[in-house]
Structure formats: structure tokens, C-alpha cells
Amino acid sequence: MKMILLRKFRVLILMVFLIACSMHIMIDLLPKLERHGSTGCSCSHTPSEEPKSWGKQGWPNKHSLRILQDFSNEPSSNVSLHSLERVPVAGDKSQAFRRLDHHGQRGDRKRQFMQDAGVDKNVPAKGSRLSALYDHPLYKTSLPPLTDEDTLFNVNTDIRFDPKAAEDQFSHVAGESNIDEFSQTGELTADSYPNWLRFHIGINRYELYSRHNPVIDALLKDLATQRITSVAMKSGGTQLKLIMTFQNYGQALFKPMKQTREQETPPDFFYFSDFERHNAEIAAFHLDKILDFRRVPPVAGRLANMTKEIRDVTRDKKLWRTFFISPANNVCFYGECSYYCSTEHALCGKPDQIEGSLAAFLPDLALAKRKTWRNPWRRSYHKRKKAEWEVDPDYCEEVKQTPPYDSGTRLLDIMDMTIFDFLMGNMDRHHYETFEKFGNETFIIHLDNGRGFGKHSHDELSILVPLNQCCRVRKSTHLRLQLLAKEEYKLSVLMAESLVRDRLSPILIQPHLDAMDRRLRQVLNVLSDCIEKEGYSYVVEDDLQGYQGTDHAHNGPRRR
């Protein structure tokens, strides 16, 4: 009797196991079966509809415009991203350039978007301090004449672009309504290129974008309002970031809100284990613009619906499976990353709304390769070890003798970046990037600023070590810093006015704005000490030939 019962029990266990396996297999196959079975309407998902499973949306198709974009803040950023949103670069760079030829070829008007458009559609209200700042002569200096070698892309803006002709990939991605969004005829002229593409076309040796280019304001609006059609996790990195694709085929890097604006970095946190802040990315873009560096890709804040704009449109199974409903009945997800990607560090909406920053992609690496450089003043990223620059007061002399810092403007670019980081309190500048086409004579791209604005009650003076050791700065940077220290052009007031335009305003609380004024005075004190010690002509590099600003005595010969 016992043997019969034992056999029946074993059979029962085996049947349960087989049923469980069958259910798992059916769950994995369900999205594919639904995709093959859905041959009906391909209408867009409207906000009024009930949330749908990601499987019903279908997997993403690739299209020609996608190859023009890339965004990476990893040390190995010259390697293509391995996300679901990336396009395989078959045929390497030559094939990618053939795609760009759809947009145009060289012609007489190839630099229409390379220089200022001469029309500012979003001038601040009369009497604003920001408007007065941009009207100041220091913000009206002109660039050298641009040649083909000084522009990232050379395109003939007369040539029309037909999305349907681009390997027939647009027909798989969008219906007629999407194409007509660009022009009535279904063709793209240069003037009707999407704003992200016009931003790419405007990049040159000296700047990511021109001072008064109306395309930037339009691009910021796109980042905040364009319909999101697809979402995937970005591979690599210590914290969760999402790649979002828009209806106009643009893409942006989404960093979700992890803590409130009032929360400071705990005093016992190391800089490399701190949270990345979405509001820091937004504020960094505005600060970079006010300093007239223009080396941060456009960033805008956005309030995203986690259900309709992330979960229901993602094709990333790993991301989709991390969604859950919290005990407070809020929608949450945590994704996959090296740190802070677990149920204990989940990102939760209220109930399904979440803030985040959206940074516009840079041109794809297949079209515009970028070189990654190790920052000479990189921190050790170790709990006990110190970097060489922290123990050697003459470290800068060694850097000055090492290419590319022994000639050109690269060392001055590092000084600009140092000042930029100190004003934000950003200690996490381990690498930086440049566009390979321009060689060593070009600007540093200020990527990955999420660890700025962590503490308003503390000024991290170690960030200023490069400036202390090298005692070098551009004249234009020095004069602008002096201007921003004046009451009529007060940095904190200008930042507040600039940030109020963002949809997530207020971006920074007042203590962070006040901290920037305090840190600006410290930067000027360091430069004043340098000038007193080394002489003005040694410390200040004159990059404003002919600018009639404040007269300074040149107290000593320049030496390296």
C-alpha cells in the first residue's frame, strides 16, 4: 500500500513539474505569437487607451536616421552601444556615410547651419539679466572662418531627403502620418530636417552649437514633448539609464530621478558611489551655456508616464520584467546595472509619473568618431589610494611636457572643465572625449554631469587643484568669470532665470544657486593669486585678439 502511494506521489510531482515548465515556455513564446497574429491596425497608442503589454507593440525596426546618433559616457565610448536600440553598423563607416548622403552632399551652401542663424525666436523678455548677458560684447565674439575641415558634416542643404527611399526602412517604422509631420509632400528639405539632425549638422571644431541658434530651443522642446516610441536600457555604466526613441526618430539618454532636490550627498559617501542626479544634468547644460563654453549636449527635463511611455513601449525584456506595483500602489521598476538596480533601490512613480533628464544624442560613432582621453587629474577611485596629482605639487609641469598638453589649447580646455566642475561640485571627471576629425585642436565635450550639485554646504577644493598647479586660463574665460561675479550679472540669478524655462522647474534649490556665487569668488581668488605670483601674461592666454575689454598690465614673460 505504501509503495502504491509513493508511486502516485512521484507521478503527481512529475506532472506539476511538467505543467510548470509548459507555463514558462508559453510565457516566453506569448509575445512572439501575438506579434505573428496581430495583422490588424497599427494605430498609435493613445493616452486614453488601457496599458498594453510590450509584446503587442512588436519589436523595433531599424531605420536610416538612427545611425546618425550616439550617446556614451563610458570610458570605452568609442565602442558601439550594445542596447536593443542600436543599429548594426554593417559596412563600417563607408556605409554609414552613404546613409548621410541621403541627407545631402557637398555644395555651395553646406554650412547653412554651421553658423548663427541670425534669428533668435526665443529672446528673453526685455529687461531680463540673461538677455543682457548675451548682449554683452564678450558673448558676441566671432569664430574663425569655417572650412570643410572645421565642420563635422558637410551637406548640401538644397538636396531633398525622401524617407521612403532610405532603404525602405521608414515604411516599417512609421505610417504616412509620421512622414507628413516633416513636410506635406513626404520629403525632407534642409529647412524641415528634424531638430536633432540640425543640431548634429551645426557641430564644428569650436562648439557643439552656436550661441543664438534657434534649433537648440526647438530641440529642448522636442526632448520634453515628443512622443516616445521605444525604450531600452543603456548597456554599461554603474547606474540605470534608458535610451528613448521619439516619433521624429531622435534619441536621448534618460536619467530618472533618484532623490529629491533637497537631499545632499551623505558626508560618508565616496564620490564614485554617489547617486547620479537628473537635475544636475539639466543644470549643467544651462551653466555650460552661461559660461559660453557650449560643450554640453542639450538637456531638458521631462515628466514621464512610467506605464504608457516606458513599460508599454519598451522592447527590452530585461527592463520590462523589473516592473512591479509597490505596497503604496505605485508603479516601480529597477532595471539592470552595476549599482542601485534592485527592489531596494527601485524607481517608483506617483503613482506612475517620474521625473528625468533627457540628453540629446551626439552623432553616431560610425559617422563622427570620438576619441576618449584619460583625465590627467583623474581620481584614484580607491578608498585608500591617492592619485599622483594629490601628492606631487609639481605634477602640472609633467603634464605640460606630455602631448597633447604640450601645445595647442588642450591644457586650457582642461582648466575650463576644472572651473565648470568646481562650480557644480562634480568630482567624477575620470575621462573626457573629443571629435576625432578635429585632431587635438578642438574642444572637450562635457559629458556625464550627473554627480554635480550633490552638496551645497561644502566646496570641494580638490577639484581646483589643476588650476592651482598650472595657473593657466583663457582670457575669455577669465573675463566672463569676472563679469558673472558682478551684481548686475550675478551667476545665481542668471542660472535661476535660465532654469525656470525647464518644464521641471525649479531645478536647483536656492542654496545650490548661492553656492555657485561663493565658488565663483574662490575661482577668481585662485586666479588672482596665480597672477600675483606668476604675472598676468603667463597666467592668462589671450584668445580675444582685438577685444577691447578691461586693460591689464602684462607683468611677466610667458613661460612653460
Side-chain angles (χ1 to χ4, degrees), residues 150-180:
D150 296 326
T151 55
L152 195 61
F153 299 118
N154 301 304
V155 296
N156 183 353
T157 57
D158 282 336
I159 292 182
R160 289 175 175 265
F161 176 73
D162 181 4
K164 293 182 180 179
E167 301 176 4
D168 290 327
Q169 293 187 13
F170 275 89
S171 59
H172 300 299
V173 178
E176 293 297 325
S177 59
N178 286 349
I179 296 174
D180 291 342

Side-chain angles (χ1 to χ4, degrees), residues 11 89 161 316 443 484 505 544:
V11 171
V89 188
F161 176 73
D316 192 330
F443 61 92
L484 295 172
S505 178
L544 295 173

Side-chain angles (χ1 to χ4, degrees), residues 256-302:
M257 176 178 176
K258 292 186 174 70
Q259 53 190 3
T260 67
R261 289 153 176 74
E262 292 75 24
Q263 289 179 278
E264 281 198 277
T265 301
D268 291 327
F269 266 37
F270 288 99
Y271 52 88
F272 50 81
S273 60
D274 192 14
F275 285 113
E276 293 185 24
R277 294 169 182 79
H278 73 299
N279 61 317
E281 293 284 1
I282 300 167
F285 166 71
H286 289 261
L287 175 62
D288 178 81
K289 185 178 180 182
I290 287 173
L291 292 172
D292 203 42
F293 294 155
R294 287 167 284 120
R295 300 165 194 169
V296 174
V299 184
R302 179 164 181 155

Side-chain angles (χ1 to χ4, degrees), residues 336-355:
E336 288 188 0
C337 61
S338 302
Y339 301 99
Y340 308 123
C341 283
S342 63
T343 52
E344 292 78 17
H345 297 97
L347 302 164
C348 295
K350 295 183 179 179
D352 60 356
Q353 303 289 315
I354 188 169
E355 289 187 11

